[in-house]
Amino acid sequence: EISRRGAKLKIIPAGFIINPVSLLQILFFIRKNRIAIIHTHSVFPHIYGLLIKICSPKMLFVAHVHADIYRELISNVSSPLKRKIYYFASFLGLRVCDAIVAISGAVRTDLIKKGISPQKIRVVYNGIDVEKIEKDAREHHDSGEIIGKIKNKRVVGTIGRITPIKNHRLLVLAAQEVITRYPDVMFIIV
């Protein structure tokens, strides 16, 4: 989609380790295309952002923080030593970046408690197109059946990708306890 709209796109595999070859490819792409802003979205990209900022101090570095960094590392890195190293490097990336986009007030507060300057943090909530969701629900053939099942129930739900950091397992365990005490509660995972 990005290429179709005329933007240059280069996919550089990086994985869950800091790869010097990937870093050099990123730096080369940035310089060749005169990129002035980088925007990162999770732990490992924040580390790449830190390294890019060190190599190109005039580069504007914006980090997008979705959740607690350490929780994200627990989901993706098994070695406690590696987690500590990546946490430190990612956190250092957040300290040197020019601006941070936090997805909630809670994420902003957490970052400030950890020593990030409040002046560099802006909260931008995730956008949801409610009208599209309502239209899709009306058009979905099972929507009447679903609405019938939840009509006289209290509904608890979560919407998000199925990944360890979202901790759906905890929701399922809590649901088992809640439903035994309150049979009029229904849980939905989307």
Side-chain angles (χ1 to χ4, degrees):
E1 176 67 21
I2 291 172
S3 296
R4 193 172 60 77
R5 292 179 178 238
K8 291 181 181 178
L9 173 68
K10 178 162 181 77
I11 297 172
I12 300 171
F16 293 114
I17 59 167
I18 302 308
N19 182 333
V21 174
S22 296
L23 177 62
L24 290 173
Q25 289 176 328
I26 294 167
L27 287 168
F28 179 75
F29 185 80
I30 287 171
R31 289 195 176 123
K32 179 182 174 192
N33 294 283
R34 296 174 144 141
I35 294 171
I37 302 171
I38 55 169
H39 186 176
T40 61
H41 274 268
S42 67
V43 171
F44 296 99
H46 297 334
I47 297 170
Y48 278 102
L50 166 66
L51 298 171
I52 291 165
K53 185 74 172 177
I54 290 168
C55 295
S56 302
K58 292 182 180 180
M59 172 73 62
L60 182 63
F61 172 19
V62 179
H64 206 112
V65 180
H66 299 264
D68 178 66
I69 295 169
Y70 198 74
R71 284 185 49 219
E72 186 176 341
L73 283 168
I74 289 171
S75 300
N76 295 307
V77 179
S78 59
S79 163
L81 178 60
K82 284 183 182 177
R83 273 199 298 261
K84 286 179 183 175
I85 292 167
Y86 288 147
Y87 177 81
F88 174 77
S90 180
F91 189 74
L92 191 56
L94 295 178
R95 293 200 59 131
V96 304
C97 73
D98 299 288
I100 297 173
V101 176
I103 65 151
S104 69
V107 169
R108 181 181 190 277
T109 300
D110 184 55
L111 290 168
I112 292 167
K113 283 180 185 174
K114 291 178 178 168
I116 301 294
S117 169
Q119 286 75 28
K120 73 164 53 177
I121 306 168
R122 296 292 177 265
V123 175
V124 178
Y125 296 99
N126 291 328
I128 298 175
D129 186 345
V130 175
E131 289 178 10
K132 182 181 182 323
I133 292 170
E134 288 174 346
K135 180 180 180 261
D136 290 349
R138 284 191 302 273
E139 292 173 359
H140 193 272
H141 69 279
D142 292 338
S143 62
E145 181 182 333
I146 292 169
I147 291 168
K149 287 182 180 179
I150 66 173
K151 192 170 188 172
N152 294 314
K153 299 238 180 204
R154 289 184 277 176
V155 179
V156 177
T158 184
I159 301 172
R161 68 189 189 283
I162 306 295
T163 181
I165 195 167
K166 300 291 184 181
N167 205 357
H168 291 93
R169 181 178 181 277
L170 181 60
L171 179 65
V172 170
L173 293 172
Q176 291 172 333
E177 286 191 37
V178 170
I179 290 170
T180 58
R181 295 164 87 183
Y182 305 96
D184 66 328
V185 176
M186 177 182 227
F187 285 79
I188 298 174
I189 298 175
V190 179

